[in-house]
Amino acid sequence: MFKALNPFFMNNPTAVREFKKRLIQTEIPFDENVDLAPFTSVGIGERIAFCVRPHTEGQLNLLSPLLKKYELPYLIHGQGTNCFFHLPKNPYPGVLIQWTTRSSHIESVKTNKSAEFFVKVHTGLRKATLSRFCFTHQYEAAVWLAGIPGTVGGGIAMNAGTRLGDFSTLIYDVNRFDMTSGTITTLRPHLCDFLYRGQSFCNNNQLLTSATLRLTKSENIDSFKKKFQESLAYRKKTQPLKEKSFGSTFKNPEGNSAGALIQALGLKGTHRGDAIISPHHANFFINRDKASGGDMLALIDQTQETVFRKTGISLTPEVRPIQSFVL
Ligand SMILES: Cc1cc2nc3c(=O)[nH]c(=O)nc-3n(C[C@H](O)[C@H](O)[C@H](O)COP(=O)(O)OP(=O)(O)OC[C@H]3O[C@@H](n4cnc5c(N)ncnc54)[C@H](O)[C@@H]3O)c2cc1C
């Protein structure tokens, strides 16, 4: 359910003061009137009334009734490496909930009979930290995790991965906090319906707080290290990593590659304002300077339309353009 704006709250200094007071009391770090662009890897966003950074389930328990009380639309956010903003108002009277962790420590590892390893992680943890941990302990997941930015929570929500693996293969259980009811549910794999770059067990009102990952050790260390290095080198060679992007723009259609389709139609370098299809990788759309959300959306629409007209293939965006928040 996407929510219309809440002019009442923004024009009510007493309500704003009270909201801030409660955030301070609950020790939830926050900022006001925040530029969202740095909250995305592509650098596209308007300003927002509040950004809050809870890090415990207890804080979420205190935050959710506050958002309800003031009817504040909110967005659950990781590191913004798979999204950009195109909001109808600037500043937008909503709350960005950036789920963070204060520690990069990865909790207890224990084996079961089949020599699997279980690792409990806060989902605010960066994938880069998890990937380094996996590399150090020679867990196979390091190979496909290498180089995917963002948080573990964003990774589970997007079922992030490569052709070598994705988050669906790691989940032993995941904890989900429901912002509407204030309840926490532990989901085992049979309740985790993963899709290609997505899932259907966590909606926009639900926040994945922690997960237990099941990891397997590589048996051949030399081959593991080689695959890890190759995976990073492949990324460096094929992706415009120095540019501002959100990774792949479109999901690969069944049996095809979105990048190859776009490239074959000669669309590399096409641009709308400062939003441009990378000359390096056709499925990477880049903000070359001051692209707006409108520029990026127009470029995505135009590419979808051209590909469909010329090939009959309908491309589905992998990136999430955020045009409103939920209540
Ligand atoms: C250079 C580059 C390379 C990339 N390579 C890959 C790749 O190889 N494979 C791949 O799959 N992706 C890739 N991506 C895309 C992106 O990094 C992943 O989708 C990543 O998992 C997003 O994580 P995030 O924390 O940035 O999520 P965000 O972009 O912040 O959020 C993405 C979605 O997840 C939801 N979400 C975030 N955190 C939570 C949470 N704790 N609970 C519930 N929902 C949450 C958000 O609401 C949003 O809908 C790449 C991106 C870049 C910029």
Side-chain angles (χ1 to χ4, degrees):
M1 184 207 358
F2 283 96
K3 168 72 177 139
L5 307 182
N6 179 352
F8 169 74
F9 177 83
M10 296 313 293
N11 297 324
N12 183 342
T14 312
V16 173
R17 225 179 6 256
E18 181 63 20
F19 178 68
K20 288 187 330 196
K21 197 169 141 201
R22 292 289 294 135
L23 290 177
I24 292 165
Q25 282 166 352
T26 51
E27 296 184 12
I28 299 175
F30 70 94
D31 290 301
E32 275 180 272
N33 191 16
V34 175
D35 179 7
L36 285 174
F39 284 78
T40 67
S41 53
V42 75
I44 297 180
E46 290 78 17
R47 299 194 80 79
I48 178 113
F50 286 95
C51 168
V52 299
R53 293 182 299 279
H55 51 95
T56 66
E57 287 171 351
Q59 288 177 329
L60 290 178
N61 239 329
L62 297 164
L63 180 64
S64 57
L66 268 187
L67 298 174
K68 237 183 262 169
K69 177 174 173 187
Y70 295 112
E71 295 189 355
L72 280 167
Y74 58 87
L75 176 82
I76 292 160
H77 192 71
Q79 289 289 323
T81 64
N82 197 60
C83 66
F84 64 91
F85 295 92
H86 184 46
L87 295 166
K89 218 167 180 232
N90 192 10
Y92 184 77
V95 179
L96 187 87
I97 305 176
Q98 189 172 44
W99 179 241
T100 56
T101 175
R102 293 194 154 174
S103 158
S104 55
H105 173 71
I106 299 183
E107 228 177 89
S108 71
V109 176
K110 60 181 187 283
T111 58
N112 65 4
K113 282 181 198 147
S114 60
E116 290 170 326
F117 292 75
F118 294 90
V119 176
K120 172 106 177 165
V121 290
H122 186 293
T123 51
L125 188 81
R126 287 176 188 245
K127 288 186 208 68
T129 310
L130 178 63
S131 171
R132 266 197 307 277
F133 171 85
C134 289
F135 181 73
T136 307
H137 294 271
Q138 286 145 24
Y139 295 133
E140 280 171 345
V143 174
W144 61 262
L145 271 170
I148 309 183
T151 61
V152 170
I156 299 173
M158 291 304 304
N159 191 18
T162 68
R163 67 200 152 78
L164 299 173
D166 57 36
F167 270 90
S168 73
T169 62
L170 299 187
I171 299 299
Y172 176 74
D173 66 32
V174 55
N175 281 337
R176 184 188 66 193
F177 181 87
D178 191 303
M179 298 291 293
T180 315
S181 62
T183 50
I184 294 176
T185 312
T186 301
L187 303 168
R188 292 299 306 275
H190 68 281
L191 295 173
C192 296
D193 197 5
F194 280 105
L195 314 165
Y196 165 50
R197 300 293 170 267
Q199 40 71 34
S200 58
F201 57 87
C202 177
N203 65 31
N204 294 324
N205 297 105
Q206 294 169 327
L207 194 155
L208 304 170
T209 57
S210 63
T212 309
L213 308 178
R214 182 195 268 136
L215 300 164
T216 38
K217 229 171 201 163
S218 171
E219 283 168 10
N220 182 332
I221 293 166
D222 289 339
S223 135
F224 165 75
K225 284 189 176 161
K226 188 162 172 264
K227 279 194 268 175
F228 180 83
Q229 297 303 346
E230 280 172 358
S231 173
L232 279 178
Y234 180 76
R235 229 173 239 285
K236 262 193 196 147
K237 190 171 150 212
T238 57
Q239 300 180 355
L241 298 179
K242 290 194 180 131
E243 309 282 355
K244 290 192 274 182
S245 82
F246 31 69
S248 295
T249 307
F250 296 107
K251 298 180 186 184
N252 288 322
E254 186 87 38
N256 223 319
S257 144
L261 284 169
I262 298 168
Q263 179 169 342
L265 294 174
L267 298 177
K268 276 180 166 179
T270 306
H271 69 98
R272 293 296 291 263
D274 270 342
I276 177 168
I277 301 181
S278 165
H280 198 67
H281 188 313
N283 202 20
F284 272 56
F285 287 24
I286 282 166
N287 172 13
R288 65 180 168 190
D289 190 13
K290 291 191 171 64
S292 66
D295 294 335
M296 194 52 87
L297 267 184
L299 186 63
I300 291 172
D301 286 351
Q302 180 183 326
T303 309
Q304 256 176 326
E305 199 270 321
T306 308
V307 171
F308 185 70
R309 189 162 32 83
K310 299 208 167 161
T311 68
I313 297 174
S314 175
L315 292 178
T316 308
E318 181 172 322
V319 61
R320 300 202 168 175
I322 313 285
Q323 300 183 71
S324 58
F325 287 13
V326 291
L327 183 67

